[in-house]
């Protein structure tokens, strides 16, 4: 495959959720969770998808992995139309595109031990021939994500949040995916542990040339891990560009507001930022009619 | 020197559980002057919230108990007060806002009723005056159309709006001290910026003293005059905001600051702190950070460091803080 060719291509993707009302549960309205987004991810690249709660970033991830069916639009993976896949082809696609979830406490089955959690995808996709091979591969994966092999027979409750997230990473890694969709992988973790998981994900990317779609609300984390960043607001992508450009020279007023809202861990920069903020507020009146930001409830 | 409005000395709050004694807060001391903002920062389980609950005497007993220490508010030891005297202080003298605004308001009463109730409990005013004041408070915290919003229920408001109502509620009796426990953790960044701005504005307006508790170093840097860093129940470093960030003396503080990805610097690889926060039931001997610290030596593993005064505003609990400082300087 050509290096410049994109791995995943998303075109005008839409996901509307119907709103029901009345005795007959008629559809009275639609919530436009994802309202026509387009982007591409190249092999080995990290695209950060940022936005505030309710902007549709998680729904976008779920639609791409076919956990939720799209309303309209196209998703193609290596030139293959993802939205029409079924049966064996869909299974093959899901092997190549894996998910890491936000909440390490709810995304692991409490009744399975680590060997089964990490081993299950190997079994499902027929990647190992027997139990012995499977255990050996699981041990290898645990070692790769920095967990000891003795933990093999422990259950999720015996692990801390950071360790659980490592198990989640090992599970995603088991099937050697090309793309991992990481939905807020570190937002539930403490700062010191967050850094460990972020570093691990970066190491794995270098080693296996994995592409990430990193969904997050924390702009600083996204800046740290991404090559390019897309900013989402009310179901639409309002700005997407290389990370240096986005952070040094944000063009969309929403991106500017978002960036200036992040408190910096340095008291010396407090005053400087206050001035920036008033600058953005002055821009408020200049939003064009038709832009979602214009009519948004600015609570 | 001005007399401190709040003086906490050797505060210890333990929880007596079936598995053993959890020393959630184990010797915390600080002083606050009127109008200052103290930030308490630390990771989950370090005892920062329990410290706040202890100041308000809201630690559930049993299993929790403030076992020793002094909490002096305007020269009054809060630990000596009975229930009735303490409820007068809460709201009137010290009030608190909580992490989850949606969960901290009663869903069955309108926001107006909740504020009116607080005002009438503490002050001798009639209902109409209290309601008028409630509307004024909602206006102060930046809620649009306060005259009509006073009659809505919490579920009709967004998270940011609920937090504003919480702040209005906390301010309703003009407290001297406002304790904010993770006030913006559940909120989006743009809403967070508005709430922090609001707290700063109100602080200036009412000359309030604020204690803000958070795990977010950005929020701490933005808000605080003084900062206390907590680790495993202990205050490990205490300093004014500028020197804490420019010359952190405790290895934990330094690594914590360095492990945060930042917007304003390029940064390649994040510095990590190996291991994790110790189990509160099995704290390491000696310094509680010794198993994660690269400066730890024999002494750190056997002896617990005291809370040493470096200068009038900088305290640290580390045997190797001088070595630490030379590392930062070079």
């Amino acid at each position: 495959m050509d290096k410049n060719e994109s791995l995943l291509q998303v075109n005008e993707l839409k996901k509307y959720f119907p709103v029901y009302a009345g005795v007959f549960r008629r559809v009275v309205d639609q919530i436009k969770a994802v309202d026509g987004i387009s982007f591409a991810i190249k092999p080995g690249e990290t695209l950060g998808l940022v936005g505030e709660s309710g902007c549709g970033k998680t729904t976008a991830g779920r639609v791409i992995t076919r956990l939720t069916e799209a309303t309209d639009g196209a998703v193609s993976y290596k030139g293959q139309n993802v939205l029409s896949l079924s049966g064996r082809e869909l299974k093959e696609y899901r092997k190549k595109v894996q998910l890491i979830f936000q909440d390490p406490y709810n995304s692991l089955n409490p009744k399975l031990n680590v060997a089964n959690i990490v081993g299950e995808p190997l079994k499902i996709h027929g990647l190992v021939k027997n139990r012995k091979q499977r255990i050996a591969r699981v041990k290898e994966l645990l070692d790769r994500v920095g967990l000891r092999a003795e933990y093999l027979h422990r259950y999720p409750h015996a692990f801390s949040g950071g360790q659980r997230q490592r198990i989640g990473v090992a599970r995603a890694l088991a099937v050697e995916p090309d793309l991992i969709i990481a939905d807020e992988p570190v937002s539930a973790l403490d700062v010191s542990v967050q850094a460990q998981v972020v570093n691990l994900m970066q190491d794995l990317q270098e080693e296996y040339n994995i592409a990430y779609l990193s969904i997050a609300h924390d702009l600083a984390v996204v800046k740290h891990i991404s090559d390019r960043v897309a900013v989402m607001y009310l179901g639409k992508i309002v700005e997407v560009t290389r990370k240096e450009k986005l952070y040094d020279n944000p063009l969309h007023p929403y991106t500017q507001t978002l960036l200036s809202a992040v408190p910096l861990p340095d008291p010396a920069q407090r005053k400087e930022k206050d001035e920036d903020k008033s600058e953005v507020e002055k821009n408020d009146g200049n939003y064009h009619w038709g832009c979602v930001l214009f009519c948004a409830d600015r609570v | 020197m001005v007399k401190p409005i709040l003086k906490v000395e050797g505060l210890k709050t333990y929880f007596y559980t079936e598995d053993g004694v959890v020393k959630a807060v184990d010797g915390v001391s600080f002083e606050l002057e009127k109008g200052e903002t103290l930030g308490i920062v630390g990771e989950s389980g370090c005892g920062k919230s329990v410290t706040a609950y202890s100041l308000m005497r809201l630690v559930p007993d049993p299993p929790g108990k403030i076992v020793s220490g002094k909490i002096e508010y305007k020269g009054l030891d809060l630990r000596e007060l009975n229930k009735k005297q303490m409820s007068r202080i809460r709201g009137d003298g010290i009030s608190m806002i909580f992490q989850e605004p949606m969960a901290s308001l009663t869903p069955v009463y309108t926001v107006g009723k909740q504020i009116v109730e607080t005002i009438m409990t503490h002050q001798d005013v009639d209902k109409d005056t209290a309601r008028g004041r409630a509307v004024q408070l909602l206006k102060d915290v930046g809620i649009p159309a306060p005259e009509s919003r006073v009659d809505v229920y919490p579920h009709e408001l967004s998270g940011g709006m609920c937090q504003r109502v919480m702040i209005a509620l906390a301010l309703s009796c003009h407290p001297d001290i406002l304790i904010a426990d993770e006030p913006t953790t559940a909120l989006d960044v743009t809403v967070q910026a508005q709430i922090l701005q609001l707290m700063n504005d109100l602080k200036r307006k009412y000359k309030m003293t604020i204690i803000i508790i958070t795990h977010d170093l950005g929020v701490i840097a933005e808000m605080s005059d003084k900062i206390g860093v907590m680790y495993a129940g202990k205050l490990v470093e205490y300093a004014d905001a500028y020197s804490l960030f420019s010359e952190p003396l405790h290895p934990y503080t330094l690594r914590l600051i360095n492990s945060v990805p930042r917007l304003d610097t390029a940064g390649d690889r994040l510095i990590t702190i190996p291991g994790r926060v110790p189990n509160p039931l099995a704290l390491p001997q000696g310094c509680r950070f010794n198993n994660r610290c690269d400066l730890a030596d024999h002494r750190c593993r056997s002896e617990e460091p005291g809370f040493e005064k470096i200068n009038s505003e900088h305290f640290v609990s580390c045997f190797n803080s001088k070595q630490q400082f030379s590392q930062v300087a070079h």
Side-chain angles (χ1 to χ4, degrees):
Chain A
M1 201 171 141
D2 184 10
K3 217 181 169 242
N4 288 320
E5 208 175 309
S6 51
L7 184 69
L8 186 85
Q9 178 85 42
V10 175
N11 267 326
E12 286 299 312
L13 187 68
K14 287 180 185 156
K15 174 66 196 177
Y16 294 171
F17 290 100
V19 178
Y20 300 102
V23 191
F24 302 107
R25 315 267 306 138
R26 275 193 308 178
V27 176
V28 292
D29 203 356
Q30 280 174 325
I31 291 171
K32 299 176 175 174
V34 177
D35 196 15
I37 60 169
S38 307
F39 58 82
I41 302 174
K42 288 179 194 143
E45 179 191 51
T46 302
L47 176 71
L49 191 59
V50 284
E52 295 183 284
S53 48
C55 74
K57 54 191 193 299
T58 295
T59 307
R62 292 181 61 91
V63 170
I64 292 165
T65 42
R66 290 281 302 275
L67 290 173
T68 305
E69 292 302 323
T71 307
D72 194 22
V75 179
S76 73
Y77 171 77
K78 288 185 177 171
Q80 194 181 23
N81 182 1
V82 170
L83 298 180
S84 66
L85 294 179
S86 63
R88 187 172 305 185
E89 288 168 342
L90 181 60
K91 191 172 158 187
E92 193 58 29
Y93 169 68
R94 284 191 172 147
K95 191 179 124 190
K96 288 292 162 202
V97 179
Q98 283 285 313
L99 267 164
I100 300 174
F101 298 94
Q102 171 170 16
D103 185 347
Y105 292 88
N106 287 322
S107 57
L108 301 177
N109 187 339
K111 293 182 180 169
L112 295 182
N113 63 22
V114 175
N116 284 323
I117 291 171
V118 181
E120 203 170 28
L122 295 170
K123 215 157 50 173
I124 290 172
H125 291 287
L127 296 173
V128 284
K129 287 197 189 75
N130 51 39
R131 197 186 127 80
K132 207 173 140 197
Q133 265 188 14
R134 191 170 79 234
I135 296 295
R137 174 84 177 115
V138 171
K139 277 188 181 161
E140 200 183 301
L141 286 161
L142 289 184
D143 180 56
R144 192 58 209 88
V145 298
L147 288 174
R148 270 183 268 160
E150 299 102 80
Y151 294 163
L152 206 59
H153 299 292
R154 286 199 194 171
Y155 289 83
H157 69 84
F159 294 96
S160 68
Q163 287 175 319
R164 282 172 201 231
Q165 208 55 311
R166 286 173 195 267
I167 297 172
V169 173
R171 176 175 62 183
L173 210 60
V175 293
E176 298 173 359
D178 291 329
L179 172 66
I180 291 180
I181 296 180
D183 189 0
E184 304 266 13
V186 295
S187 67
L189 307 175
D190 272 323
V191 228
S192 67
V193 180
Q194 175 177 309
Q196 296 171 5
V197 175
V198 165
N199 283 349
L200 171 68
M201 287 179 64
Q202 285 185 319
D203 289 346
L204 294 173
Q205 177 163 47
E206 260 169 46
E207 198 172 329
Y208 301 108
N209 196 35
I210 303 170
Y212 288 121
L213 173 61
S214 181
I215 300 169
H217 70 277
D218 187 328
L219 287 145
V221 172
V222 167
K223 180 183 183 193
H224 191 81
I225 59 179
S226 307
D227 298 309
R228 287 186 306 133
V229 178
V231 181
M232 240 180 126
Y233 187 70
L234 291 181
K236 290 190 193 298
I237 288 180
V238 294
E239 186 165 358
V240 53
T241 182
R242 290 201 57 75
K243 114 178 136 184
E244 297 80 15
K245 278 191 186 164
L246 187 96
Y247 286 89
D248 294 343
N249 185 22
L251 295 179
H252 196 281
Y254 178 66
T255 315
Q256 294 167 359
T257 310
L258 210 55
L259 284 174
S260 73
V262 179
L264 297 173
D266 182 2
Q269 294 197 34
R270 237 183 266 175
K271 214 172 170 190
E272 230 173 278
K273 232 190 64 188
D274 281 348
E275 283 155 19
D276 280 352
K277 219 179 275 166
S278 58
E279 194 70 22
V280 172
E281 240 118 52
K282 267 180 235 150
N283 278 336
D284 271 9
N286 295 334
Y287 297 143
H288 295 295
W289 283 102
C291 169
V292 278
L293 197 56
F294 184 82
C295 56
D297 185 8
R298 318 194 90 241
V299 173
Chain B
M1 199 182 137
V2 198
K3 219 176 159 204
I5 190 162
L6 185 74
K7 190 173 168 185
V8 177
E9 231 178 71
L11 178 70
K12 292 187 180 184
T13 305
Y14 293 177
F15 286 85
Y16 295 88
T17 68
E18 277 179 20
D19 299 325
V21 182
V22 175
K23 298 178 176 175
V25 177
D26 200 16
V28 165
S29 310
F30 60 82
E31 279 182 18
L32 261 183
E33 280 166 34
K34 194 171 168 60
E36 272 186 330
T37 299
L38 168 71
I40 300 180
V41 67
E43 296 181 281
S44 46
C46 71
K48 54 193 194 300
S49 287
V50 178
T51 304
Y53 281 88
S54 304
L55 298 183
M56 291 288 276
R57 292 248 324 259
L58 285 174
V59 177
D61 179 13
K65 201 169 170 27
I66 301 176
V67 291
S68 70
K70 248 190 189 165
I71 307 167
E72 247 181 60
Y73 162 67
K74 287 184 170 169
L76 208 66
D77 190 352
L78 296 186
R79 283 192 65 209
E80 309 276 298
L81 301 184
N82 63 28
K83 253 189 179 161
K84 208 170 161 193
Q85 291 168 316
M86 194 58 216
S87 5
R88 283 221 66 85
I89 300 274
R90 289 186 204 123
D92 231 5
I94 310 175
S95 64
M96 187 161 174
I97 50 180
F98 301 90
Q99 177 166 7
E100 283 181 59
M102 303 282 211
S104 312
L105 293 166
T106 315
V108 294
Y109 293 123
T110 62
V111 298
K113 193 176 160 106
Q114 296 182 45
I115 300 175
V116 166
E117 193 189 351
T118 313
I119 295 175
M120 288 178 68
T121 310
H122 288 284
Q123 287 165 15
D124 190 22
V125 292
D126 62 57
K127 211 169 173 182
D128 286 339
T129 322
R131 192 183 150 88
R133 224 179 266 175
V135 172
Q136 182 58 42
L137 279 163
L138 292 179
K139 199 175 159 197
D140 279 355
V141 295
I143 292 182
E147 298 82 5
S148 58
R149 291 290 171 93
V150 75
D151 291 317
V152 302
Y153 288 90
H155 73 264
E156 296 173 74
L157 298 170
S158 66
M161 281 297 166
C162 273
Q163 196 57 290
R164 284 168 195 262
V165 171
M166 276 298 297
I167 294 175
L169 198 57
L171 297 181
S172 58
C173 299
H174 303 298
D176 294 316
I177 303 171
L178 176 70
I179 302 176
D181 185 10
E182 304 264 10
T184 58
T185 305
L187 307 175
D188 278 324
V189 273
T190 49
V191 184
Q192 166 173 293
Q194 293 166 12
I195 296 286
L196 296 181
Q197 183 75 45
L198 170 71
M199 283 175 64
N200 271 336
D201 290 348
L202 293 171
K203 174 189 159 187
R204 239 166 276 146
K205 194 168 162 189
Y206 297 115
K207 293 205 172 47
M208 226 167 22
T209 310
I210 296 180
I211 300 178
I212 184 166
I213 292 165
T214 174
H215 67 277
D216 188 325
L217 285 164
V219 171
I220 282 282
E222 181 92 5
M223 299 288 292
S224 319
D225 301 313
K226 287 180 178 167
I227 298 174
V229 181
M230 280 189 79
Y231 185 77
K234 291 239 171 209
L235 205 55
V236 294
E237 187 162 3
Y238 181 82
D240 68 287
Y242 290 90
S243 38
L244 190 98
F245 276 92
S246 59
E247 294 164 14
L249 292 182
H250 198 282
Y252 177 63
T253 315
L254 176 69
R255 276 148 195 79
L256 198 63
I257 293 170
N258 284 340
S259 68
V260 186
R262 299 176 58 141
L263 271 188
D264 53 339
T265 52
D268 302 319
R269 216 177 146 73
L270 295 177
I271 311 274
T272 62
I273 306 175
R276 58 160 155 152
V277 179
N279 178 351
L281 288 168
L283 293 170
Q285 263 229 314
C287 171
R288 291 179 184 188
F289 188 58
N290 73 38
N291 54 352
R292 302 177 78 187
C293 181
D294 45 9
L295 298 178
D297 51 29
H298 182 67
R299 194 176 170 201
C300 301
R301 289 189 190 91
S302 52
E303 246 179 275
E304 228 179 303
F307 207 44
E308 222 181 304
K309 188 172 180 172
I310 302 296
N311 58 44
S312 64
E313 298 222 307
H314 208 143
F315 296 81
V316 67
S317 167
C318 179
F319 292 125
N320 297 319
S321 59
K322 291 197 179 74
Q323 195 182 335
Q324 170 77 13
F325 182 63
S326 63
Q327 261 191 5
V328 177
H330 298 121

